[in-house]
C-alpha cells in the first residue's frame, strides 16, 4: 500500500479527458494494487471520493466511500457513464482534495443512473441520490477535466475553510 501524491488545481492532468481503462488491465495485480492505493490515499486525506487524474493518472477510475448516516458504501467505478439525470436539483457545499482550503455551493441533479464496471470488471447499472449521487457527479467530472469550481453558478459562495467553519457549517447538513 502507498499514499499517492495529489495533483492540485493548476496541474494540467486535472484538465485532461481521462482514458478508458483497457478491460484486460483491470484484473492485473498492478491495477488492483493501484485501486487499493487510491483508497488509502483518499482515507489518509479525509476524502470521500478520489479520481485517478487527482493522483496524476489520466484513467477512468474513481474510488469513493463515506461512513455515517448520509454516507454510502465503498464504491469503485471503472469507465463509468451517467445514462440518466433525475429532474430534481440539489444544492450542496463541495470541496476537493485538489483545491485546498476552499468550498463552494454547487447545484446538481439530485439523482443519476450510472453504468460502470466494478473493480472485478463486472458490469453494474444503478441509480443513486443524495450525497452519493452528488459525489459520483463530482468525481466523474474529474474524468472530464472538470472541477467543482466549473460547476458553480458564480463565485459568490466561494469560501475559505476557516470562514466556512465560522459562518456556513451550521446550515450545511452535508458537505462533500
Ligand atoms: Zn474533487
Amino acid at each position: 500500500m502507498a499514499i499517492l501524491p495529489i495533483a492540485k488545481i493548476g496541474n494540467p492532468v486535472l484538465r485532461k479527458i481521462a482514458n478508458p481503462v483497457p478491460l484486460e488491465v483491470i484484473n492485473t495485480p498492478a491495477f488492483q494494487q493501484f485501486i487499493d492505493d487510491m483508497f488509502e490515499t483518499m482515507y489518509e486525506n479525509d476524502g470521500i471520493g478520489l479520481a485517478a487524474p487527482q493522483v496524476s493518472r489520466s484513467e477512468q477510475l474513481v474510488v469513493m466511500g463515506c461512513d455515517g448516516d448520509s454516507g454510502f458504501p465503498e464504491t469503485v467505478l471503472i469507465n463509468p457513464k451517467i445514462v440518466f439525470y433525475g429532474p430534481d436539483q440539489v444544492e450542496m457545499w463541495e470541496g476537493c482534495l485538489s483545491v485546498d482550503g476552499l468550498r463552494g455551493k454547487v447545484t446538481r441533479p439530485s439523482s443519476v443512473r450510472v453504468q460502470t464496471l466494478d473493480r472485478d470488471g463486472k458490469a453494474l447499472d444503478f441509480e443513486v441520490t443524495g450525497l452519493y449521487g452528488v459525489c459520483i457527479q463530482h468525481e466523474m467530472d474529474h474524468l472530464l477535466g472538470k472541477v467543482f469550481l466549473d460547476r458553480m453558478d458564480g463565485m459568490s459562495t466561494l469560501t475559505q475553510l476557516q470562514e466556512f467553519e465560522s459562518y456556513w457549517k451550521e446550515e450545511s447538513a452535508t458537505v462533500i
Side-chain angles (χ1 to χ4, degrees):
M1 301 276 272
I3 310 267
L4 306 169
I6 298 203
K8 304 293 182 177
I9 188 81
N11 187 319
V13 73
L14 293 173
R15 293 309 192 172
K16 287 186 183 157
I17 307 267
N19 298 308
V21 178
L23 297 186
E24 64 273 18
V25 165
I26 295 172
N27 285 304
T28 61
F31 194 76
Q32 292 293 315
Q33 180 67 56
F34 179 46
I35 292 171
D36 290 337
D37 290 347
M38 291 264 297
F39 272 116
E40 193 180 13
T41 302
M42 180 185 82
Y43 288 126
E44 174 70 18
N45 289 279
D46 296 323
I48 62 172
L50 186 67
Q54 293 183 275
V55 293
S56 298
R57 281 181 51 167
S58 194
E59 299 171 35
Q60 292 181 22
L61 166 66
V62 166
V63 302
M64 300 170 40
C66 181
D67 288 335
D69 289 344
S70 59
F72 47 83
E74 281 197 346
T75 304
V76 175
L77 309 175
I78 298 173
N79 303 342
K81 287 187 174 53
I82 293 175
V83 296
F84 175 76
Y85 290 93
D88 299 326
Q89 304 286 308
V90 62
E91 182 183 68
M92 280 193 199
W93 287 94
E94 297 192 20
C96 182
L97 295 180
S98 295
V99 184
D100 286 339
L102 292 175
R103 296 206 189 288
K105 280 186 181 177
V106 182
T107 301
R108 299 182 186 269
S110 64
S111 66
V112 289
R113 183 178 157 197
V114 181
Q115 291 178 347
T116 185
L117 302 177
D118 69 6
R119 70 176 296 162
D120 301 316
K122 194 176 89 182
L124 301 180
D125 184 332
F126 58 93
E127 192 165 333
V128 285
T129 59
L131 182 65
Y132 199 5
V134 167
C135 190
I136 279 187
Q137 292 174 73
H138 176 118
E139 299 309 329
M140 285 183 61
D141 271 351
H142 282 300
L143 307 181
L144 302 170
K146 300 272 187 204
V147 297
F148 77 92
L149 302 166
D150 304 318
R151 300 300 192 196
M152 292 174 65
D153 287 333
M155 289 294 128
S156 64
T157 63
L158 192 65
T159 303
Q160 290 205 3
L161 207 49
Q162 192 180 334
E163 309 295 353
F164 178 81
E165 300 285 332
S166 300
Y167 295 105
W168 301 106
K169 196 169 184 170
E170 299 285 301
E171 72 152 45
S172 57
T174 49
V175 175
I176 83 160

